[in-house]
């Protein structure tokens, strides 16, 4: 039945419509979706066996929820996706400030209107997209913002004294009646403001400037917070914690494959950019590995976390670096190169918090260090491990590449080289092709040149070659030749 055609309270009663609390509404709709095998939290990856089952259990238990985790772990997204579990439309007493249910009014305005007009009381319909309220907890948030206050302008216009409860201006929480209300970064909320939420969570009572207003508010609270050992700015007061039904821990992607899926989904790319720039599969893995290296780096504060947004913005920068080169060279198509990863450094430096040792190194140097570590980690997955100490008679699989560099003075790859120049330079190192054919024979044609450059970087990170950055690009040399030239 299309309830939205109902315009009065009498019609609503005759339709057989039954009211539900928002928590029952969420629970019933989730039960239905689970039974049908539908995915409620579409677009959230890596939580299928951890966070989402706990979140679904909390919803089935009708709990208010606290999502606890480091930045960039999809906490707010999870809360927003809960809107999909709401009924598409709900009836509201027309003109109500707090979305009164016509069959169960709570405000003075709604009760008086129904008493006056009875079954002729006008009813409007509220879409589920309007039933989501979000507030970022900042130190300047007041009780008046959240709960409400006396409005002197309303008192003057209605010619009422401050002793009349009709002069109350409702805050965000009462206005979120019958909705999902999210408070982000809960520990940042001052303790006295958190105390004001106690009774709302437990009994539904609120007090405004001495008025004890009994409102049976129907709200699904979702809080988000960083772990308290990181948020030195404040903490969640214990009695408030006690009133939150479920606390759910979120986490970062546990594999490169999941991280890739998130990045590709969230990156905002121009259609022309996607069409003109090809990104090798190895380049995508390498980009995500940079994030994994950052989360384990001694230079980065692990308590602050490394947001998934770092990989997303780095991916956008990576494509833009290749696109800029193609435009300057007048090329319609290009492929991402490993040297293009210098373009992601600004995205990395702006997303990590360094410890003292990292500050000493410098943000840009730390970013380059992370890229190098990522290359070293993935290199071991594609090619034989390079031992620090090798037996004298054992021939290394990389010996022919190293010998090639020993016989050459240097090898340069410039940032702005055309695709033809770039390929010609890499093709000149014959042993690279032999390594690729032996260990990665099934690689696609489009990815071959990235892999060749990857081998050079991998050998440099494992101290088989030297790699130096100059103004226009990178120079690779035989490592012993480099030592000799430096000592001359």
């Amino acid at each position: 039945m299309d309830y939205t055609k109902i315009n009065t309270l009498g019609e609503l009663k005759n339709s057989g419509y039954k009211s539900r609390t928002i928590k029952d509404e969420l629970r019933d709709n989730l039960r239905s979706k689970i039974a049908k095998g539908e995915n409620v939290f579409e677009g959230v990856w890596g939580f299928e066996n951890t966070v989402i089952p706990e979140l679904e259990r909390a919803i089935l238990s009708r709990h208010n929820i606290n999502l606890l985790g480091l930045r960039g772990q999809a906490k707010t997204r999870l809360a927003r996706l809960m809107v999909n579990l709401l009924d598409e439309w709900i009836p509201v007493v027309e003109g109500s400030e707090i979305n009164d249910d016509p069959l169960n009014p709570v405000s003075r305005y709604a009760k008086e209107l129904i008493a006056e007009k009875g079954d002729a009381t006008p009813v409007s319909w509220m879409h589920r997209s309007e039933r989501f309220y979000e507030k970022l907890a900042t130190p300047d948030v007041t009780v008046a913002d959240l709960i409400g206050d006396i409005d002197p302008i309303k008192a003057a216009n209605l010619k009422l004294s401050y002793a009349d409860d009709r002069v109350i201006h409702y805050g965000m929480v009462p206005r979120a009646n019958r909705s999902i209300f999210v408070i982000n970064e809960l520990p940042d909320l001052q303790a006295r403001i958190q105390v004001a939420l106690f009774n709302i969570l437990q009994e539904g009572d609120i007090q405004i400037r001495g008025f004890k207003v009994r409102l049976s508010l129907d709200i699904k609270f979702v809080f988000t917070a960083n772990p308290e050992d990181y948020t030195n700015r404040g903490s969640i007061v214990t009695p408030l914690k006690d009133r939150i039904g479920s606390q759910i821990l979120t986490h970062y992607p546990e594999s490169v494959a999941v991280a890739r899926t998130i990045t590709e989904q969230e990156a905002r790319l121009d259609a022309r950019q996607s069409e003109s720039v090809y990104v090798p599969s190895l380049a995508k893995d390498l980009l995500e590995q940079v994030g994994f290296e950052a989360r384990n780096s001694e230079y980065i504060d692990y308590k602050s976390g490394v947001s998934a947004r770092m990989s997303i913005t780095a991916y956008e920068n990576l494509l833009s670096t290749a696109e800029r080169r193609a435009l300057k060279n007048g090329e319609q198509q290009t492929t991402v190169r490993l040297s293009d990863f210098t373009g992601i450094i600004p995205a990395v430096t702006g997303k990590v918090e360094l410890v003292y040792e990292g500050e000493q190194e410098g943000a840009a140097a730390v970013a380059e260090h992370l890229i190098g570590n990522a290359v070293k980690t993935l290199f071991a997955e594609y090619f034989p491990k390079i031992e620090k100490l090798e037996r004298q008679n054992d021939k290394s699989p990389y010996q022919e590449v190293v010998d090639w560099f020993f016989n050459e003075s240097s090898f340069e790859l410039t940032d702005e080289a055309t695709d033809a120049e770039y390929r010609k330079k890499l093709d000149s190192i014959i042993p690279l092709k032999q390594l690729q054919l032996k260990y990665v024979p099934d690689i696609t044609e489009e990815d071959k040149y990235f892999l060749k450059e990857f081998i050079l970087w991998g050998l440099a990170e494992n101290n088989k070659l030297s790699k130096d950055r100059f103004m226009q690009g990178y120079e690779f040399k035989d490592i012993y030749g480099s030592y000799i030239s430096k000592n001359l």
Side-chain angles (χ1 to χ4, degrees), residues 340-379:
D340 291 334
F341 273 70
T342 55
I344 77 170
I345 290 175
V348 175
T349 56
K351 293 287 192 298
V352 296
E353 291 189 28
L354 304 179
V355 294
Y356 177 75
E357 290 82 1
E359 295 287 356
Q360 295 295 102
E361 288 286 326
V366 169
E368 291 175 0
H369 180 71
L370 295 176
I371 295 170
N373 282 354
V375 169
K376 190 172 183 178
T377 299
L378 290 187
F379 187 82

Side-chain angles (χ1 to χ4, degrees), residues 273-286:
Q273 195 174 48
S274 301
E275 292 167 4
S276 63
V277 180
Y278 173 75
V279 187
S281 179
L282 176 55
K284 294 178 181 179
D285 287 348
L286 184 61

Side-chain angles (χ1 to χ4, degrees), residues 274-301:
S274 301
E275 292 167 4
S276 63
V277 180
Y278 173 75
V279 187
S281 179
L282 176 55
K284 294 178 181 179
D285 287 348
L286 184 61
L287 182 81
E288 301 304 337
Q289 188 63 39
V290 172
F292 282 80
E293 297 293 337
R295 290 176 192 128
N296 295 314
S297 173
E298 60 183 335
Y299 297 121
I300 293 171
D301 184 1

